[in-house]
Amino acid sequence: MDVTKAQHPDSMVLASVKIELSNADIAIDKAKKTYELTELSDLGLARGVKIAFSSSKIDVKADNGTVPLKGQTDMKASVEFSLLERYVPLIGQIMKGIATVKIIPGTKGKKIDELNAGSAIKDKRYEFQHPNYDGERPENIVIKQGTKTLTSPADYTIEKGAAGTWGYLFTAAGDFDPAKAATVEYEITPIKAYSLGKGSGGVVQPVSMRLTNKRKAQDGRIISRTFDFPYGFYDGEDSIAFKSKNDADTVAEVAMKFEFSPHPDLVLDEDFEPFSLYRETPEV
């Protein structure tokens, strides 16, 4: 027979997680006694996401009394999963230091971005839809509204964003009319292909990772649970498991494994040390 019921139903973790990874340093806020992961990239579709912890045991025994000391030290965490998307730039980011990604450029040509009437406003930056393979500024930029050709910098300016992408901004005092459609013409050299290479070895670079689980609460809200790992390394081999054409599910799987340890910038601070390896934050 049933002898109890769920005490905290919204604490049940349902479904899978979004996996994000970063090569950038975490942002430490000593005043607020917290840290945040920065410049996270979504790794895409995955299967079999698993978090596990390991440690060395502290077990001090005495000859003439009860056990005086018991606990854990040298705690580590591992995160494993299989990616279903082998996007080469992200593989290079994950394995930075032991793998190298090179971009193979295509043929230079003209691109046109269409702006529908009412889709753009002044003093807001819009990115070019087609970037150069090397991240450089697009060339021969021409922005038109009907038969009128807008001029720079009077009507618009070309700006580089924080992520290194190029875009344009219509100036407040310029002749751009948000109520009219516009075309943005420019020339770029697109990416033709990527090349992923490995040599005799290397030193892998540190990463941080966030896993995010979302589910519907009893009252209809969408609640979120995040799992943050501020400091770790890729700890697997690059492997691809191909499927048979006769399998019902033929997508190849790319096995991933990461090992995390306490962040060296957090572990010696008494305010940060308890969260230097792992931080789980469920909404309530």
Side-chain angles (χ1 to χ4, degrees):
M1 63 179 179
D2 296 333
V3 295
T4 190
K5 63 179 181 179
Q7 302 302 302
H8 307 283
D10 288 342
S11 69
M12 298 175 68
V13 182
L14 307 178
S16 191
V17 291
K18 177 182 180 180
I19 309 168
E20 297 174 284
L21 177 138
S22 175
N23 299 102
D25 293 335
I26 66 172
I28 301 174
D29 190 331
K30 290 188 175 293
K32 296 182 179 180
K33 300 178 182 179
T34 188
Y35 64 82
E36 292 298 333
L37 310 189
T38 63
E39 299 181 25
L40 292 164
S41 298
D42 190 341
L43 297 189
L45 299 179
R47 284 184 180 145
V49 186
K50 177 184 177 182
I51 299 172
F53 294 91
S54 63
S55 65
S56 299
K57 305 304 179 186
I58 299 173
D59 192 357
V60 178
K61 300 184 186 308
D63 292 340
N64 58 351
T66 58
V67 176
L69 193 62
K70 204 172 184 73
Q72 299 176 339
T73 187
D74 191 29
M75 292 194 68
K76 290 182 170 61
S78 67
V79 178
E80 299 182 41
F81 51 87
S82 292
L83 281 178
L84 304 184
E85 302 181 47
R86 190 173 173 82
Y87 182 54
V88 166
L90 272 182
I91 298 296
Q93 180 183 351
I94 291 167
M95 302 180 185
K96 188 175 181 180
I98 57 176
T100 300
V101 174
K102 289 188 175 180
I103 298 173
I104 302 172
T107 302
K108 185 176 181 179
K110 179 185 289 188
K111 299 293 181 181
I112 301 177
D113 297 348
E114 302 282 351
L115 297 177
N116 296 325
S119 64
I121 60 175
K122 293 185 176 183
D123 282 338
K124 180 179 178 180
R125 182 177 172 275
Y126 297 90
E127 291 186 1
F128 293 98
Q129 295 177 14
H130 305 275
N132 261 315
Y133 81 99
D134 55 1
E136 291 299 312
R137 170 180 166 147
E139 299 178 353
N140 301 322
I141 301 167
V142 178
I143 301 181
K144 296 181 178 180
Q145 283 196 300
T147 59
K148 181 179 178 59
T149 300
L150 302 181
T151 60
S152 177
D155 300 320
Y156 65 90
T157 59
I158 305 300
E159 300 180 357
K160 191 174 186 179
T165 56
W166 288 94
Y168 47 89
L169 182 149
F170 297 109
T171 59
D175 288 339
F176 173 74
D177 186 350
K180 296 181 179 179
T183 59
V184 183
E185 301 177 6
Y186 52 97
E187 291 185 350
I188 56 100
T189 301
I191 296 172
K192 179 181 180 181
Y194 297 103
S195 176
L196 175 68
K198 298 178 184 176
S200 59
V203 178
V204 70
Q205 300 299 301
V207 298
S208 58
M209 179 177 288
R210 170 172 291 166
L211 308 180
T212 304
N213 171 269
K214 291 183 181 291
R215 55 158 291 195
K216 183 175 285 189
Q218 291 187 103
D219 59 6
R221 293 177 301 116
I222 298 299
I223 57 177
S224 176
R225 182 182 297 263
T226 59
F227 307 82
D228 286 342
F229 300 89
Y231 186 78
F233 297 89
Y234 179 72
D235 192 41
E237 299 293 340
D238 187 15
S239 62
I240 310 172
F242 293 98
K243 302 291 183 68
S244 166
K245 66 180 179 64
N246 298 315
D247 290 341
D249 178 352
T250 60
V251 65
E253 298 186 4
V254 183
M256 294 275 131
K257 182 179 181 181
F258 297 84
E259 182 179 85
F260 295 91
S261 56
H263 195 293
D265 293 337
L266 302 175
V267 72
L268 296 180
D269 188 308
E270 63 181 11
D271 291 322
F272 289 103
E273 196 282 333
F275 301 94
S276 60
L277 170 64
Y278 166 75
R279 181 177 64 187
E280 181 176 342
T281 309
E283 292 181 0
V284 296

